[in-house]
Amino acid sequence: MTSPIVHPEAAPPDRRRWIALAIVMTAAFMDLLDVTIVNVALPSIQRDVDASTSQIQWITAGYVLAFAAGLITGGRLGDIHGRKRIFLIGVTGFTVASALSGFAVNADMLVASRILQGAMAAIMVPQVLSIVHATFPAHERGKVFGLFGAIVGMGGVCGPLLGALLTEWNLFGLEWRTIFLINLPVGIAGIVLGRRFITESRAARTLHLDLVGVGLVTLALLMLLYPLTRGRELGWPLWGYASMVGSALVLAGFVLYERLKVRRDGSPLVELSLFRVKSFSAGIAVEFGFGVVCGMFFLVWTLYMQIGLGWSVMRAGLTSLPFSIAVAAAAGVSVQQLVPRFGRKVLQAGALIMALGMLLYMWEADRYGTGIAAWQMALPLVVIGIGMGLIVAPLTNAVLSEVPREHSGSASGLINTTLQTGNALGLGLTSVVFFALIDDGAAPPRVGPEFVDAFENAVLWAAIVLGAIFVLMFALPARPEMDFEAEVAGDDVLSGDGDEAHWRAAPVEQAGSAAEPRPPAAR
């Protein structure tokens, strides 16, 4: 039986809406958890399925790339065909992909399953805030988005520790596989309950799909990332360089096609006119660079601790706690107290503090070598966490603050897609800045020192990128302001181009800003 289609303000509140909220929140939590839970288990996965370094990169990069490529299209599918229907399809696919990942018999199957999982997340995630908006009246949304942001932020903090616990406990002898299989009962419950309690809704105004645009941008990214991740293992063949150069040509073709698409039906994948706004163009570059730093750092950090230092998965997971706490604390202070007073300078301070933390970490790694203790890492991790919190919370608002309201949805979707694309590129670049310094045939006594040296090199490059981000931030508005209701409730946001961007791109942002919506002057 098909549920009636309603518009956000057309019907009185249904008491079942709180159950629907719990369902979509759980799905969002499951997606974010799946992103953060995997890294800490990668060394265990590598040993168990005998994965190569490029396969290890694609276990994470494949998910991120598929998510980024399908994000905007996933949102538009919900607008056209119904958000409940597309949400349930996404949850079903995500659950199936989780099962395939958990029961993968080799590294290739795991990579393929993770790509499928990312594609299903791109269908599922954009519906979440659209369903919330369609289900709750305006006077309840502030409370709902605050609760939503707190839960999603918790997913980012809990992921590494939960991944460590599940891997360490080795339930039923499954080791790392439980980090994927834990999604099965959650996903099945979401499907059953979602069919009953989520109300169907569609956008009053929808945009057409741009599947050709999706294909072109995905091809360009694959032509860049595949040779980056495989080049080292294959001896950097000529076709790899040709592919990377060709990716720029495909990207140029994508831009030309998008211009044609605007004239044809006004529904491009990317609204190119947004780049005429200087602060938005610079902000997109900042988001991209920030994604590169995150993708690069979190992968090499995990491998450095567990393979280079020989730490257990539990010890590595616990070592990440000071960082997670520092990010959450700095994010709340940044949005509520610092940005209203100091504006753009807070983001720039965050970039410098984060770079300082990277350099401090590099110095400690060099000084203590393989004998470094977890408590000695605490200071640089807290510094990095504070810097990240100062950036990640207010960045989306700063980038969007000068974008015309009618394009806010398209801009939000592009912000998140850019961040995820940067993340995928950062993962690919680890072949150059990290794995290139490691000899696969090194004797056991040399493995630790080589991983330490490679980690120092990767962290140095991360600090350099953060320096470039600091310079780009001068193009952001000195006093960025954004009306929360316009961000979350605007018609364009509900068009499927950006509902999820504000929490998915910066999970801790909502804990600081959405929990207490305020007029622009107060923020």
Side-chain angles (χ1 to χ4, degrees):
M1 181 177 179
T2 304
S3 302
I5 298 172
V6 299
H7 295 291
E9 312 294 346
D14 189 332
R15 287 179 297 178
R16 299 180 303 171
R17 66 191 184 281
W18 295 104
I19 301 176
L21 176 66
I23 295 166
V24 296
M25 276 188 174
T26 302
F29 183 85
M30 184 169 62
D31 163 63
L32 185 63
L33 197 66
D34 222 65
V35 174
T36 57
I37 202 173
V38 172
N39 269 358
V40 75
L42 283 177
S44 300
I45 293 172
Q46 185 177 33
R47 288 192 298 268
D48 190 42
V49 299
D50 193 27
S52 66
T53 55
S54 65
Q55 288 170 325
I56 285 295
Q57 290 170 281
W58 275 98
I59 288 169
T60 49
Y63 182 100
V64 173
L65 182 61
F67 181 87
L71 188 60
I72 294 175
T73 299
R76 291 184 186 175
L77 284 171
D79 292 342
I80 296 169
H81 299 290
R83 293 159 183 152
K84 172 182 175 178
R85 177 186 298 177
I86 299 301
F87 173 78
L88 292 176
I89 291 173
V91 173
T92 302
F94 191 89
T95 305
V96 170
S98 297
L100 292 173
S101 298
F103 292 118
V105 297
N106 54 46
D108 288 335
M109 180 177 175
L110 180 55
V111 169
S113 301
R114 286 285 288 167
I115 292 173
L116 175 62
Q117 199 177 32
M120 292 299 103
I123 293 175
M124 173 182 73
V125 170
Q127 319 312 324
V128 173
L129 291 188
S130 294
I131 289 172
V132 170
H133 187 275
T135 305
F136 285 85
H139 69 274
E140 290 183 340
R141 288 181 201 139
K143 178 172 62 176
V144 170
F145 283 120
L147 178 62
F148 183 86
I151 290 178
V152 171
M154 185 174 64
V157 173
C158 295
L161 185 58
L162 182 58
L165 286 170
L166 290 173
T167 306
E168 189 82 7
W169 287 342
N170 191 21
L171 299 174
F172 310 110
L174 293 170
E175 295 184 339
W176 57 269
R177 298 177 186 275
T178 52
I179 68 174
F180 299 113
L181 298 179
I182 194 175
N183 291 332
L184 269 60
V186 178
I188 292 170
I191 295 165
V192 173
L193 296 175
R195 287 175 60 87
R196 179 175 180 184
F197 292 106
I198 296 176
T199 302
E200 185 62 283
S201 65
R202 293 189 178 98
R205 178 177 60 83
T206 62
L207 298 174
H208 300 288
L209 299 180
D210 183 5
L211 299 181
V212 174
V214 172
L216 286 173
V217 76
T218 303
L219 177 62
L221 291 171
L222 285 173
M223 290 175 67
L224 176 63
L225 289 175
Y226 186 76
L228 267 179
T229 56
R230 290 281 289 155
R232 171 178 168 270
E233 295 175 355
L234 300 175
W236 296 106
L238 181 60
W239 66 259
Y241 293 103
S243 177
M244 288 188 279
V245 172
S247 69
L249 299 178
V250 174
L251 193 59
F254 167 75
V255 173
L256 293 175
Y257 176 79
E258 292 300 284
R259 289 176 177 171
L260 177 65
K261 181 75 170 169
V262 171
R263 292 194 295 268
R264 182 182 299 168
D265 60 19
S267 296
L269 183 70
V270 174
E271 183 61 58
L272 297 177
S273 64
L274 289 169
F275 291 95
R276 297 172 188 161
V277 181
K278 185 182 76 169
S279 61
F280 180 79
S281 297
I284 284 293
V286 169
E287 292 276 3
F288 184 79
F290 191 68
V292 169
V293 169
C294 291
M296 188 188 304
F297 175 73
F298 290 118
L299 176 60
V300 302
W301 182 31
T302 296
L303 299 177
Y304 159 69
M305 287 190 292
Q306 293 190 50
I307 299 179
L309 302 181
W311 290 4
S312 69
V313 63
M314 179 61 69
R315 186 177 180 184
L318 290 173
T319 301
S320 70
L321 281 180
F323 166 80
S324 300
I325 294 170
V327 172
V333 174
S334 173
V335 171
Q336 296 179 14
Q337 299 180 26
L338 298 180
V339 171
R341 293 184 60 190
F342 304 107
R344 179 185 65 205
K345 294 177 182 177
V346 176
L347 285 85
Q348 291 183 296
L352 290 179
I353 291 170
M354 198 172 170
L356 176 63
M358 294 286 182
L359 295 175
L360 181 59
Y361 206 165
M362 184 179 72
W363 177 78
E364 289 206 353
D366 182 65
R367 179 180 180 184
Y368 298 109
T370 55
I372 192 171
W375 68 265
Q376 291 168 323
M377 293 185 185
L379 177 59
L381 288 175
V382 168
V383 174
I384 294 170
I386 291 172
M388 182 174 287
L390 293 178
I391 296 173
V392 76
L395 181 56
T396 300
N397 280 0
V399 178
L400 287 173
S401 61
E402 294 182 347
V403 170
R405 178 172 295 189
E406 63 269 21
H407 293 312
S408 61
S410 296
S412 298
L414 184 55
I415 286 172
N416 193 34
T417 299
T418 301
L419 180 70
Q420 303 304 324
T421 302
N423 197 306
L425 180 60
L427 289 164
L429 286 172
T430 57
S431 289
V432 179
V433 302
F434 183 75
F435 291 112
L437 278 70
I438 297 172
D439 180 5
D440 292 335
R446 286 296 309 156
V447 170
E450 287 196 2
F451 267 79
V452 172
D453 291 342
F455 176 72
E456 292 173 19
N457 186 64
V459 168
L460 175 60
W461 277 105
I464 291 172
V465 176
L466 286 165
I469 288 173
F470 168 79
V471 174
L472 286 169
M473 284 178 175
F474 279 105
L476 297 178
R479 294 278 181 177
E481 294 180 347
M482 178 66 67
D483 185 348
F484 177 77
E485 277 300 311
E487 269 187 79
V488 181
D491 289 339
D492 285 327
V493 177
L494 286 178
S495 70
D497 288 282
D499 286 324
E500 77 299 327
H502 307 290
W503 67 266
R504 184 65 161 75
V508 289
E509 176 181 351
Q510 299 300 340
S513 60
E516 298 179 41
R518 301 169 188 168
R523 295 177 60 193

